[in-house]
């Protein structure tokens, strides 16, 4: 399987059709945790619900519009990280991710995000990456803050979450900022 | 032709294939003015360049993802206003527009935008509209300010404009704000 | 909404997805009347049945092959008028329409047809429009007769109507005839 | 090759991609004769012009919307006969044909048309076939007259022929008429 | 119907949508016999199951990738013969066939295969045809042996047959071999 | 970039659009060597020639029909390995590869093939892999021989190579053979 190694027993891999079962199990076991901030959780009830989604992700990859990668720790799928489309005209993209509850707080998502940023800025030579998080989703906001993103503003009622709209905070990182961040040892 | 009347000799109409010639002429006569803020002006050299674009706009309309309308004043095409896609899941859209230089400063775009907002909130029942303008494009920013939009932040390097990235200011208007604005007489 | 004003509280508008419910209600309330001459009435049972049809109509419009418009009187949808495809090679098209029973006999369809003829000959610059009606559908035949169309012949067994074929009379109007008709005050 | 035998050294065959060269040669050698009544002759200049047309014909066949067949006499392609679409809802179709000058007046097209009628009424079980010819194209009109079709009327300005519109006469044959015609020995 | 005559009351014809019912009946009446070597028999339960398959076959034909033909004896559909795709780059194809039990042992398939070889080498000007049969399907192997094909090898576990993989023997015939075979009177 | 590590400074990676330039350079520098056995070399003249090919490869991957991977040694692209489609019904696939001249004879392709076999049998759970090589391409044949594949036969005139057909030898490896090969230490 094609991977990006992040550390000891930790890697990213493109999500293929044969991962539908595993993806469903992980989401199913973590519904309560995930649905706090992810609007699609309730709609994904069976393995079959994930198949068209995975196919759409692979099509996105084939069309050069980004990718969705599984995060694998000690042989277990523990989350997903990916790009929401790539705007080649303006060389921008947007980054999203989630982790099951048991694996939060271990620096896994920070490492995963760093690896995806390397693809964004090195392989794809993009100029800008954006991350949007729920305005009170502090866990998720910790990632862009830790990696040198700047806060840009609040997208009011940016997302419908089952029964209400909620506001999204928006962070961004520019190519030159990332190069500086990397050359300074990533601190 | 299907229209939205905005006032005396002023209306919006869906742009169809037979308008390619007229659209090209207007853009061609106003290149210097338009290219200050619109990234596509240089690429649209001939009438034939507008044909696939108009077809894509009509397809957007047919798919329920918004529309692009010509602004007609005294029988002359003077600009375009439209929606950049509709996010039905989150009931949001984004609004864009341009006017030829000779017709600025007459309140035309304010009326056009009000008409489009009526479609967005009444016909489509959306919850949020967003407008992004160049950070020093004060003319364009006047529209959302006048119509009760709120400033949300600055999208850094949001757009590539021929030879440089430039920042975009972002404004938004929510459904409830628009209803209040309308019920208060639009002041 | 994009409209063509026909008179006091009377206009045409492109039929969009959000009109599925209203269209279904109108057809549902007028089934007995409509199925006498329209072959599709029995098949359109639910709102969901109208959705793919409306999408096909919008696609027809996007492809420059004609359009289907709702006829709105005093805020109520009372019928539909539209073009069955456009033959650009030969610059011809065919026109169809229906009205709910309660609104017949008021000159509504005559005005609607005149407006569509203006699009056909002015906007699209076509050369010929044709109308086909059931051979004993005198109500429907009154429209082309009133508007200067000429009778061309009878299409034998032209249409299947639930349980039998029936003959269609064919009328046509040429561009030059329409220009003469218009310049003579439309009498 | 899949054929329909019409008589001694005379058969119809589906036109496939490998016939592009031969089809071009025949049309090319008979341009003056063919362009009197066929609007597409001038546009078909090279073998390559016929390839997308043949592919469209095969696609029509694959979609059950009719077919285009070559007429082969003594090993030579001498014309084409085919159906312009099939309207399954109303079980109707329309028939068209052409022959190179040297092979007219030998009863070839009458036999070809009879064979196609057999497909239309036996294999496809349609109810109605229509033939339209130029109003002064007496050669072409001889076919429907000979085969028991009835005259229905004149389609005014029915077709654009290079530099003018011309009128089309319309003939039709119904299933029951064809069955009677056949059972009476085809006289 | 477009045919290839093979002999007295024996012909091949392209399979069209209207043959779905007949094809289903034939397969249904011969399931036990056919499923010994054909992997698709159990999946084809109803007439509706054959419709997308026939459409795919017609699409294959329209795209110049081969065809599937019914074998008709005394007015009865008794089998199918066809080409599995055409590799135009390397000018090769593969041939498959089946016959209902009652019609085996009469030389029908030998004649049908000879007719298809004529299309392959004369009409399509291919260079190589291949036939694969189950390693113990001696009936099927008799055809390539009789027609001058050469044995090339065994494709181990070449096909999944309901509950097990089985080996396929592979035969091929090259253009020059076929020309020699034909010129020597086909013996 | 998503990789499969094969050893010290040696890995496989999915070929994406941004690799078109590099792929062209490698092929261009090795034309004489590659065209001895690869039929596509002469047709791939410019970087632009590789773009639709790479897109087709990514589409193949997205559709679950296999993949094409670059082989990278010490930061240099030195070859490609991939699957020619996957036959899921029969759980078989076919494997192809090439290496630039300078990197042959170092065991690189053996390692690459072993990695692809692991994907084929572990990730995709296929039953059979096949390799076809030119009958005198001993270099290429060394791979299947070394990895426990069995010789199955000769595909006569299997491929057109610029100006002649040439024969292909066919090797296959079954799942159970691979499992045995692996459990015995791969010797």
């Amino acid at each position: 399987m094609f991977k990006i190694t992040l550390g000891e027993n930790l890697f990213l891999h493109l999500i293929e059709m044969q991962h539908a079962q595993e993806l469903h199990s992980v989401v199913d076991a973590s519904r309560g945790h995930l649905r706090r901030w992810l609007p699609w959780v309730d709609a994904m009830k069976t393995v079959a619900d994930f198949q068209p989604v995975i196919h759409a992700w692979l099509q996105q990859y084939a069309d050069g519009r980004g990718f969705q990668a599984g995060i694998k720790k000690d042989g277990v799928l523990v989350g997903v990280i990916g790009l929401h489309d790539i705007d080649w005209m303006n060389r921008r993209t947007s980054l999203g991710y989630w982790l099951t509850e048991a694996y939060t707080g271990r620096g896994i998502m920070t490492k995963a995000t760093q690896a995806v940023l390397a693809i964004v800025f090195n392989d794809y030579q993009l100029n800008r990456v954006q991350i949007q998080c729920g305005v009170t989703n502090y866990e998720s906001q910790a990632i862009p803050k830790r990696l040198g993103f700047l806060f840009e503003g609040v997208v009011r009622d940016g997302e419908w979450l089952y029964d209400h709209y909620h506001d999204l905070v928006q962070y961004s990182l520019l190519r030159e900022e990332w190069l500086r961040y990397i050359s300074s040892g990533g601190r």
Side-chain angles (χ1 to χ4, degrees), chain A:
Chain A
M1 212 162 34
F2 295 87
K3 309 177 183 182
I4 296 172
T5 302
L6 304 179
E8 196 62 42
N9 291 320
L10 180 62
F11 64 87
L12 302 184
H13 68 93
L14 286 171
I15 300 175
E16 302 184 1
M17 209 47 96
Q18 70 266 25
H19 305 124
Q21 172 76 59
E22 194 181 3
L23 187 55
H24 170 260
S25 301
V26 171
V27 168
D28 208 44
S30 206
R31 288 190 182 276
H33 176 68
L34 297 176
R35 74 186 303 285
R36 294 176 312 146
W37 298 113
L38 298 173
W40 49 262
V41 176
D42 287 9
M44 305 307 284
K45 292 189 180 68
T46 66
V47 173
D49 290 334
F50 284 90
Q51 286 165 347
V53 170
I54 291 176
H55 193 260
W57 288 346
L58 289 168
Q59 192 59 56
Q60 177 195 15
Y61 176 67
D63 292 343
R65 295 181 287 104
F67 60 84
Q68 306 299 320
I71 305 172
K72 207 103 181 217
K73 173 67 182 166
D74 302 329
V76 179
L77 183 68
V78 300
V80 169
I81 185 166
L83 301 177
H84 308 314
D85 214 345
I86 294 175
D87 176 351
W88 287 102
M89 211 79 95
N90 300 305
R91 303 198 81 84
R92 344 175 353 183
T93 191
S94 176
L95 201 151
Y97 43 74
W98 57 265
L99 211 56
T100 54
E101 196 164 12
Y103 288 84
T104 56
R106 308 191 190 182
I108 290 176
M109 196 52 85
T110 302
K111 282 180 194 146
T113 304
Q114 285 171 319
V116 171
L117 290 175
I119 293 181
V120 161
F121 292 119
N122 287 344
D123 291 358
Y124 296 159
Q125 294 281 321
L126 300 183
N127 180 63
R128 175 193 154 97
V129 181
Q130 159 181 313
I131 293 177
Q132 294 185 331
C133 317
V135 81
T136 60
N137 184 354
Y138 305 114
E139 236 169 358
S140 206
Q141 293 174 35
I143 303 291
K145 283 179 182 168
R146 191 170 304 134
L147 296 174
F149 281 63
L150 292 192
F151 173 80
E152 290 192 330
V154 174
V155 182
R156 302 179 309 139
D157 279 8
E159 194 174 53
W160 176 254
L161 202 54
Y162 305 105
D163 52 8
H164 67 286
Y165 293 102
H166 70 123
D167 297 344
L168 302 173
V169 289
Q170 181 169 310
Y171 291 85
S172 71
L173 183 68
L174 302 185
R175 177 174 187 71
E176 57 190 20
E177 294 164 356
W178 180 75
L179 291 172
R180 257 202 316 271
Y181 173 84
I182 289 297
S183 71
S184 71
R187 282 153 311 172

